[in-house]
Amino acid sequence: MVTGKRPIGWSVLVALTNGRTRIPDDRLAAAVGGKVVLVTGSSYGIGEATAKRLARAGATVLLVARTADQLEAVAEEIRTAGGKAQAYPTNLAEPAAIERLVANVLADHGHVDVLVSNAGKSIRRSVADSYQRFHDIERTNSVNYLGPTKLVLELLPSMRKRGSGHLVNVSTAGVRTPPLARWSAYLASKSAFDVWLRCVAQEIRDDGVTTSTVYMGLVHTRMSDPTPLLNQLPGLSPEQAADQVCAAVANKPHNITPPLVRPADALGNLLRVPTDRLFEQYFLRTNRKKGPE
Ligand SMILES: NC(=O)c1ccc[n+]([C@@H]2O[C@H](COP(=O)([O-])OP(=O)(O)OC[C@H]3O[C@@H](n4cnc5c(N)ncnc54)[C@H](OP(=O)(O)O)[C@@H]3O)[C@@H](O)[C@H]2O)c1
């Protein structure tokens, strides 16, 4: 976490690099009051903060993650505060578990109005450190790509039949900025779901199902915690990130993107080779193993 005194202009930097999309309580309540919203990855971090905010606004929130006791603790906290929440402990890396989840959810609630696909797994590892670890790439894909697609495939038929539904993808700004050494497995898996959903969006809109993607900047959660460099960079709190996710739920924009990401994306495409060389130099300078690996 970022600690100590912050330099002047820190909050402006945070807003430029991470965005500060907000949604007032009354607008959120008008959009989600009485709605059924399923939030994956709601045991911790952005998902937990999102579920709590949505429940305060009057939504019935369905909490999905693996850690059953933590998930139940979040649900209990919401219910104690007067909200409606139900925990569905599920490992999204298991397709059969997703089928059971959706069958149970539809039996209990009849339908889902909004899916917030937020659960995710981060990994920062050089390719040399991955030679004996293909399972890392498989696991990252099963949580960030295959699980989310399976969940959408299970929920879409009921949404299309009702003629309404909204799918929110909590993606990362990293899929829009130039590629970064060591983040290959994570960014490839997040990119895969991003592209998959944007293709699917064109097929389902006519049936009343919309999609929004939040290209989230840095958020200080247990996901970013293990990377010392990220702890020093300007980032959002989980509650600020939840504000963006809730804005996507209520306003249904095509995407929410931090201000500096669009020029970085354009510049990266325009100056692809020099940008690659720049990041290559950074990788070489910070790589603990020197020479070819
Ligand atoms: N933090 C950032 O800087 C940042 C930036 C951009 C985008 N994002 C994205 O934001 C999302 C949330 O990240 P976060 O920072 O809030 O991380 P986090 O605090 O680590 O939360 C991740 C959530 O995903 C759940 N999860 C992980 N594997 C799962 C699985 N196999 N099945 C079901 N649930 C699983 C975790 O719950 P259990 O462990 O209980 O299963 C947890 O609730 C992720 O998709 C991430 O890629 C984060």
Side-chain angles (χ1 to χ4, degrees):
M1 300 285 163
V2 179
T3 50
K5 207 165 181 292
R6 288 163 183 175
I8 296 165
W10 184 260
S11 57
V12 176
L13 200 60
V14 172
L16 284 173
T17 51
N18 303 287
R20 268 315 270 122
T21 304
R22 294 170 190 203
I23 175 123
D25 287 340
D26 56 343
R27 272 244 307 281
L28 185 61
V32 303
K35 296 271 168 70
V36 179
V37 186
L38 190 155
V39 185
T40 70
S42 37
S43 51
Y44 298 99
I46 301 167
E48 176 185 359
T50 299
K52 288 178 177 172
R53 176 96 198 270
L54 290 168
R56 278 201 305 278
T60 297
V61 288
L62 313 183
L63 311 176
V64 174
R66 289 166 304 177
T67 320
D69 51 353
Q70 172 63 14
L71 209 57
E72 190 47 52
V74 176
E76 190 51 37
E77 196 182 325
I78 289 172
R79 289 192 292 261
T80 304
K84 291 183 186 147
Q86 193 171 342
Y88 291 89
T90 307
N91 184 353
L92 293 170
E94 293 173 5
I98 297 174
E99 286 171 14
R100 284 195 298 277
L101 164 71
V102 173
N104 290 336
V105 160
L106 294 181
D108 294 345
H109 299 275
H111 70 278
V112 170
D113 292 293
V114 183
L115 164 65
V116 177
S117 188
N118 164 79
K121 174 178 165 55
S122 178
I123 181 163
R124 178 182 178 271
R125 183 159 291 145
S126 74
V127 74
D129 287 339
S130 307
Y131 294 158
Q132 305 301 321
R133 299 186 62 90
F134 180 63
H135 56 270
D136 280 344
I137 293 173
E138 289 179 311
R139 282 179 198 158
T140 310
N141 269 289
S142 54
V143 181
N144 294 347
Y145 175 38
L146 300 175
T149 58
K150 175 68 177 167
L151 185 52
V152 170
L153 292 177
E154 289 298 312
L155 277 173
L156 254 185
S158 62
M159 287 182 164
R160 292 177 102 172
K161 203 167 159 199
R162 289 182 80 229
S164 101
H166 187 48
L167 309 172
V168 176
N169 173 20
V170 180
S171 189
T172 166
V175 309
R176 299 279 307 276
T177 50
L180 267 181
R182 296 190 183 92
W183 292 96
S184 50
Y186 176 67
L187 291 179
S189 64
K190 296 294 278 188
S191 300
F193 185 58
D194 174 48
V195 173
W196 185 85
L197 191 66
R198 285 194 285 130
C199 293
V200 168
Q202 298 175 359
E203 302 175 29
I204 59 179
R205 195 176 168 78
D206 194 47
D207 292 334
V209 184
T210 45
T211 64
S212 295
T213 302
V214 183
Y215 294 107
M216 192 68 79
L218 176 64
V219 187
H220 295 294
T221 64
R222 66 174 193 156
M223 183 179 276
S224 53
D225 234 14
T227 311
L229 173 68
L230 296 183
N231 290 333
Q232 305 310 317
L233 296 178
L236 303 176
S237 68
E239 290 70 27
Q240 289 171 324
D243 221 353
Q244 300 199 5
V245 180
C246 289
V249 169
N251 299 335
K252 303 182 180 177
H254 177 274
N255 67 79
I256 293 178
T257 305
L260 280 183
V261 167
R262 287 179 209 278
D265 191 13
L267 212 63
N269 280 316
L270 207 64
L271 306 172
R272 194 164 285 185
V273 175
T275 309
D276 263 0
R277 292 292 169 273
L278 192 71
F279 287 134
E280 190 181 305
Q281 284 309 311
Y282 174 74
F283 172 71
L284 291 174
R285 277 163 203 267
T286 55
N287 200 17
R288 56 194 157 78
K289 296 175 194 158
K290 297 290 173 206
E293 292 173 323

